[in-house]
Structure formats: C-alpha cells, structure tokens
C-alpha cells in the first residue's frame, strides 16, 4: 500500500527551505491584492496584511512544518482565524443579514469538527478535504470578524463582545483537551516529531499551549476591551 502524503508533505528534511510554490497557494496569497484592484478597499494596509498572512500560511515553510508537528498545525489555524480572516474582514467586510450568527456558528463547528481525530485523518489523507477544512475556517472566521469589527450600534457591539468571549471559551476548552489528554489523538505526526526532540503526546500538549497563549489570551483581552467599551456606551444617557 502506498504511503499517504498529506498536503505540503512529505515531511521535509530541512524545513527552512520547504517553500510551497504550487499554483493554488500562490493564487490564494495573491487573491486579496487582485480583488483590491477591482473592488475598492478603503484599508489597503489590511489587504496587504491579509495577503502576507496567507503567504505565510500556505507558501512559507510553515505549511511543511504542519506535516511534522501538530503544534505547527494549531499555529497555522490560529494564523488564519486571528490574522488573515480579521484582515479580510477589515478590507472586504461581509455585510449580509445574519452574517454574525452564521459566522459564529460556522467557526464554532469548524473548530470542533477539525479537532476530531476522524475528521483530521480525512483532511490528512485527502487534499480536497484539506482545502475544505481551510476554506471553512477562513470563510467562517471572515464572516465572524466582519460582524465584530464593523459593529456600529451599542447593542451590536454587545452581541459582538459576547461572540468573542464565547469563541474564547471554546478555544480554551479545546486547548485544555489537547493539553491534558492522556492519549495521542493525532498519531499521524508520531513518525516525525522525534526530529525536534519531542514525542507525539508532548507535541499535542504543545499545541494546546499554543492555542491557549497566542490564541485564547489575545481574544480574551479583545473581549474584555469590547465589553468595557460597550458597557460605557450603554451606560451613557
């Protein structure tokens, strides 16, 4: 039976030189810049930042590192959810009715779904499902941040604050499950992690810490700031 090669695989011997110059990731990284040429984007800096984050996620050696370390996979997803998607929302906000609900539910479903070992295995084994996973994360996070970052009325900001805090709680729970699980949930990385002096369980625990510190803490801080601002607005006569 042929060995399964995940997207950005096989695991490279030298990660620093493992750039991914396939047409699809290069096109994705360039897409915000191309869209800005046809759709007026008031925040050009956000357009450039979104392209840069997609470049890091799918073209830089980080993509190859996600084959080696599950912790890198977690960082990769945080980059999409907390950097690329907010930048896209600032540059090209989705303003359709019900976006805030769809974005929050969609992002919540994606976060839980793709941390299920069975779903993760499907994405590992099939590039089409891998890209479905990435599209779901970016698309739902884009819709989520379009509501949070463009809420105008006080009550909308309160709802946005609640969404951010609810997302923070979910990420904290997933991080706890990864950190304190007594068994290996994603054995696909086990053959590669020893290169970095880890075993698969330690790599999984590191992924939980990545979600906690660079992931959950900034969200919690943002939620607290939004709550404070919303409370002051509602308290004004």
């Amino acid at each position: 039976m042929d060995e399964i090669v995940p997207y950005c695989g096989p695991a490279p011997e030298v990660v620093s030189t493992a750039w991914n110059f396939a047409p699809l990731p290069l096109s994705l990284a360039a897409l915000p810049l191309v869209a800005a040429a046809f759709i007026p984007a008031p925040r050009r800096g956000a357009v450039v930042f979104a392209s840069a984050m997609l470049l890091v996620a799918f073209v830089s050696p980080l993509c190859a590192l996600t084959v080696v370390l599950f912790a890198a996979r977690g960082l990769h997803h945080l980059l999409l959810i907390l950097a690329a998607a907010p930048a896209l929302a600032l540059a090209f906000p989705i303003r359709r009715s019900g976006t805030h609900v769809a974005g929050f539910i969609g992002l919540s479903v994606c976060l839980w779904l793709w941390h299920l070992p069975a779903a993760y295995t499907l994405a590992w084994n099939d590039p089409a499902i891998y890209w479905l996973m990435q599209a779901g994360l970016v698309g739902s996070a884009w819709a989520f941040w379009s509501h949070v970052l463009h809420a105008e009325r006080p009550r909308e900001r309160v709802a946005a604050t609640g969404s951010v805090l609810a997302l923070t709680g979910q990420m904290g729970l997933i991080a706890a499950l990864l950190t304190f699980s007594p068994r290996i949930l994603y054995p696909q990385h086990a053959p590669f992690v020893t290169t970095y002096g880890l075993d698969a369980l330690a790599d999984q625990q590191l992924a939980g810490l990545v979600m906690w510190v660079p992931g959950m803490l900034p969200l919690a801080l943002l939620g607290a700031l939004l709550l404070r601002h919303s409370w002051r607005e509602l308290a004004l006569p």
Side-chain angles (χ1 to χ4, degrees):
M1 183 176 180
D2 294 336
E3 181 183 0
I4 293 173
V5 177
Y7 190 80
C8 270
E13 294 183 5
V14 181
V15 172
S16 61
T17 60
W19 290 78
N20 180 17
F21 294 118
L24 180 55
L26 286 174
S27 299
L28 287 175
L31 193 57
L33 297 175
V34 174
F38 297 94
I39 304 173
R43 304 194 182 190
R44 299 288 177 178
V47 173
V48 174
F49 185 76
S51 280
M53 292 301 97
L54 292 172
L55 186 77
V56 172
F58 296 116
V59 178
S60 83
L62 176 61
C63 193
L65 193 60
T66 63
V67 178
V68 181
L69 297 174
F70 182 69
R73 180 79 69 184
L75 180 61
H76 180 268
H77 286 171
L78 289 180
L79 194 68
L80 296 178
I81 294 170
L82 302 182
L88 288 171
L90 285 173
F92 311 105
I94 302 172
R95 299 187 182 275
R96 294 181 180 178
S97 176
T99 293
H100 61 292
V101 176
F104 175 75
I105 293 176
L107 185 53
S108 299
V109 169
C110 285
L111 281 173
W112 286 100
L113 174 63
W114 297 116
H115 281 93
L116 294 176
Y120 187 82
T121 298
L122 290 175
W124 180 276
N125 292 347
D126 189 333
I129 297 178
Y130 169 89
W131 284 111
L132 179 64
M133 172 177 69
Q134 309 303 330
L137 287 167
V138 174
S140 59
W142 186 352
F144 173 83
W145 288 112
S146 291
H147 169 63
V148 171
L149 299 177
H150 295 279
E152 296 177 352
R153 294 187 292 271
R155 294 190 181 279
E156 288 181 343
R157 293 195 182 98
V158 171
T161 301
S163 297
V164 170
L165 294 176
L167 181 64
T168 303
Q170 291 184 75
M171 291 180 64
L173 182 54
I174 294 173
L177 292 173
L178 294 175
T179 304
F180 298 112
S181 174
R183 64 187 184 90
I184 298 169
L185 301 175
Y186 312 100
Q188 294 89 344
H189 297 273
F192 313 117
V193 295
T194 54
T195 306
Y196 290 83
L198 299 171
D199 58 35
L201 191 58
D203 174 41
Q204 188 172 289
Q205 292 166 345
L206 179 60
L209 294 176
V210 166
M211 183 171 280
W212 251 332
V213 181
M216 194 184 86
L217 289 183
L219 269 181
L221 178 60
L222 174 62
L225 292 174
L226 286 172
L227 184 63
R228 180 185 179 190
H229 183 65
S230 301
W231 182 263
R232 285 183 172 181
E233 282 190 324
L234 290 174
L236 291 175

